[in-house]
Amino acid sequence: MGRGGLETMLMNYYRNIDRSKVQFDFLCHRDFEADYDDEILALGGRIYRLPNLNPFSKTYLNALDSFFSEHKEYKIVHSHIDCMSAIPLKYAKKYGVPVTIAHSHNSNQPKDKNYPLKLIYKRNIHKYADYLFACSKNSGIWMFGNKFTDDIYVMNNAIDTKQYVYNEQIAKSVREKYNLGNNFVVGHVGRFNAQKNHNYLIDIFNELLKIEPSAKLVLVGDGDLKKNIKKKIYDLNISDSVVFTGIVPNVNEIAQCFDVFCFPSLFEGLSVAMVEMQATGVKSVISNTISKECIITDNVEMLPIDANPKIWADKLITFKGTYSKKNMLDSVEKANFDIEKNAMWLQEFYLNEYNKH
């Protein structure tokens, strides 16, 4: 439960659900403490830990089997591990859990060595899931198949919209903290992994610097590829123009300083970051491989993911000093991405299912 998009979405729901009626416990595939652990415990949740997910590991499968054999108090198990959801849900069913939910958070997966295995396992999800959830229609179709379209519940990656309303004073303080001055600031929020396409993002920013030498790039997040990206930035001799914030608890405040948000992901389910950025009123330039379902305001433009990076740079610079951020609260709420209403919907779903059993 670190500060990734999926984990943040879960915490948004957890904070806003009536915990006197519905309580979340978390079964994680990591044996170390993470950013949200203290808050989960403070809100009354429990955290259980399994070894890293490996369907061929006897140690892992035995641990999964032991967990569900020892914890028969759960009536609902809601899995958020995408293609591999069939594995825990199989064991949940084995020990009599009456309601199982598989949740899709992506419209594709990285084409790495595990990709063929994920495709195999995702075909088995329908055997063990009573309900199919997705963060968008596209992510549901990719994960569960066209024939299940009518059976998929779309659960929005909702946010606390009020926290993201543009505030000039906050923007100023963030700029001061990171020594951004009045420079043109390009922002990005996302884990450093292949999906987020940081390599291409750096190529784009490098081209932008040729047009606007004083521009700054603010990178929010952490991940396995961060070291590689830092090396690329160093090799291009642009380190002084790039700010790494690391993992931060206040993305809503950091985003206030962005002049434009650049998001060239290879794929997304429905990005929490995209919802957050639109709530701040910042203009966004995103890749055409991302589902249009993420566009909930008129502040987003799409560009081809395979375009010359200069094309992206030319688009980004058009937003320098050409617009003022507006309060987008109404637009985001009308698109049904406010957390309060969505949390109540999920609460009623859980309670209805719980009371049936």
Side-chain angles (χ1 to χ4, degrees), residues 81-130:
I81 55 173
D82 280 344
C83 295
M84 309 306 282
S85 288
I87 300 170
L89 296 186
K90 177 181 178 180
Y91 283 87
K93 281 300 182 189
K94 176 182 177 181
Y95 288 99
V97 174
V99 182
T100 52
I101 304 169
H103 199 132
S104 173
H105 292 276
N106 258 317
S107 59
N108 210 323
Q109 291 286 313
K111 305 294 193 296
D112 56 17
K113 63 180 180 180
N114 295 320
Y115 185 71
L117 185 67
K118 290 178 179 179
L119 294 184
I120 292 170
Y121 273 93
K122 83 182 180 88
R123 293 186 194 127
N124 292 322
I125 290 173
H126 68 279
K127 295 180 183 178
Y128 308 108
D130 296 307

Side-chain angles (χ1 to χ4, degrees), residues 104-276:
S104 173
H105 292 276
N106 258 317
S107 59
N108 210 323
Q109 291 286 313
K111 305 294 193 296
D112 56 17
K113 63 180 180 180
N114 295 320
Y115 185 71
L117 185 67
K118 290 178 179 179
L119 294 184
I120 292 170
Y121 273 93
K122 83 182 180 88
R123 293 186 194 127
N124 292 322
I125 290 173
H126 68 279
K127 295 180 183 178
Y128 308 108
D130 296 307
Y131 293 99
L132 305 175
F133 277 42
C135 63
S136 67
K137 184 178 178 181
N138 276 5
S139 64
I141 291 172
W142 186 86
M143 187 69 65
F144 306 125
N146 284 312
K147 65 180 179 179
F148 297 110
T149 304
D150 294 337
D151 300 320
I152 296 170
Y153 289 82
V154 174
M155 181 173 141
N156 287 331
N157 288 350
I159 63 170
D160 183 350
T161 52
K162 297 175 186 65
Q163 288 190 17
Y164 289 86
V165 175
Y166 178 66
N167 183 302
E168 190 174 347
Q169 287 304 114
I170 292 175
K172 184 178 178 181
S173 66
V174 172
R175 282 177 173 265
E176 288 175 354
K177 178 178 179 179
Y178 292 105
N179 298 313
L180 299 170
N182 292 319
N183 297 319
F184 182 61
V185 176
V186 178
H188 183 275
V189 178
R191 204 188 302 267
F192 284 79
N193 61 17
Q195 173 188 345
K196 300 300 181 183
N197 207 11
H198 282 84
N199 263 312
Y200 187 54
L201 174 63
I202 301 307
D203 290 336
I204 293 167
F205 183 66
N206 191 43
E207 289 296 326
L208 178 66
L209 286 173
K210 297 173 184 176
I211 307 168
E212 180 63 36
S214 64
K216 299 288 186 181
L217 175 64
V218 176
L219 300 174
V220 181
D222 206 344
D224 296 338
L225 297 182
K226 185 175 181 179
K227 185 177 179 181
N228 295 4
I229 296 303
K230 279 193 167 184
K231 183 179 185 306
K232 177 168 184 168
I233 290 168
Y234 176 83
D235 290 343
L236 289 169
N237 196 28
I238 60 173
S239 297
D240 290 344
S241 300
V242 183
V243 174
F244 290 86
T245 71
I247 295 173
V248 294
N250 60 333
V251 173
N252 60 311
E253 295 183 355
I254 301 288
Q256 305 284 339
C257 80
F258 297 166
D259 291 304
V260 64
F261 182 65
C262 187
F263 204 54
S265 293
L266 298 176
F267 55 87
E268 294 284 341
L270 199 146
S271 167
V272 174
M274 275 302 303
V275 179
E276 293 170 340

